[in-house]
């Protein structure tokens, strides 16, 4: 059984009617009569990507210092949400064309952190597209500029 608790609050410290609302989704999964809080899980498509994400000096050498810093921040963002649609920073967006079925967040310049769902089964909407609001596990498949 999964329990979903949605909370709403004003995004800004000023409490006014014009303040945009922020929504946080907390997912709890029941297992053996206990409830466990769940976060978005991420894995890596290969060891090169894992090394790039776990070794700051390697990331700085391959991507540049600013981009490496953004990469670390975006990985923290992934770890802080319970589903993909809760991502805010880095212009999160689903991809199209030959990258359909993948999702990206901006790093620096044209570089992106690209991932695909690794839920099994992949949650789908009625039209067959991915329901990113229900994706709770992703696999990082590319870091770089896919426009090159």
């Amino acid at each position: 059984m999964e329990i979903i608790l949605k909370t709403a609050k004003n995004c800004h410290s000023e409490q006014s009617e014009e303040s945009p609302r922020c929504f946080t989704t907390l997912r709890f999964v029941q297992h053996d009569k206990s409830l466990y809080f769940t976060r978005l899980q991420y894995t890596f498509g290969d060891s090169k990507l894992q090394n790039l994400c776990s070794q700051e000096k390697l990331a700085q050498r391959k991507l540049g210092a600013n981009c490496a810093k953004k990469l670390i921040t975006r990985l923290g963002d992934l770890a802080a949400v319970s589903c993909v649609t809760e991502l805010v920073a880095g212009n999160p967006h689903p991809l199209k064309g030959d990258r359909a079925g993948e999702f990206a967040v901006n790093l620096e310049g044209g570089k992106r952190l690209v991932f695909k769902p690794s839920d099994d089964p992949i949650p789908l909407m009625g039209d067959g597209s991915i329901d990113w609001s229900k994706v709770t596990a992703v696999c990082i498949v590319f870091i770089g500029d896919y426009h090159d």
Side-chain angles (χ1 to χ4, degrees), residues 69-125:
K69 185 176 178 181
K70 290 274 187 169
L71 174 61
I72 292 167
T73 302
R74 297 294 176 258
L75 292 171
D77 294 343
L78 285 175
V81 299
S82 62
C83 67
V84 172
T85 55
E86 290 179 5
L87 292 169
V88 177
N91 186 32
H93 55 283
L95 299 178
K96 300 174 185 174
D98 62 341
R99 290 207 170 265
E102 296 177 343
F103 206 90
V105 291
N106 297 351
L107 295 175
E108 182 190 46
K111 293 183 179 78
R112 309 284 190 265
L113 171 66
V114 179
F115 50 87
K116 64 181 183 179
S118 58
D119 295 85
D120 188 19
I122 295 172
L124 300 176
M125 299 176 75

Side-chain angles (χ1 to χ4, degrees), residues 53-73:
C53 291
S54 62
Q55 298 174 25
E56 187 174 354
K57 289 193 185 292
L58 176 64
Q60 289 174 350
R61 191 170 63 247
K62 297 278 187 180
L63 304 171
N66 290 337
C67 189
K69 185 176 178 181
K70 290 274 187 169
L71 174 61
I72 292 167
T73 302

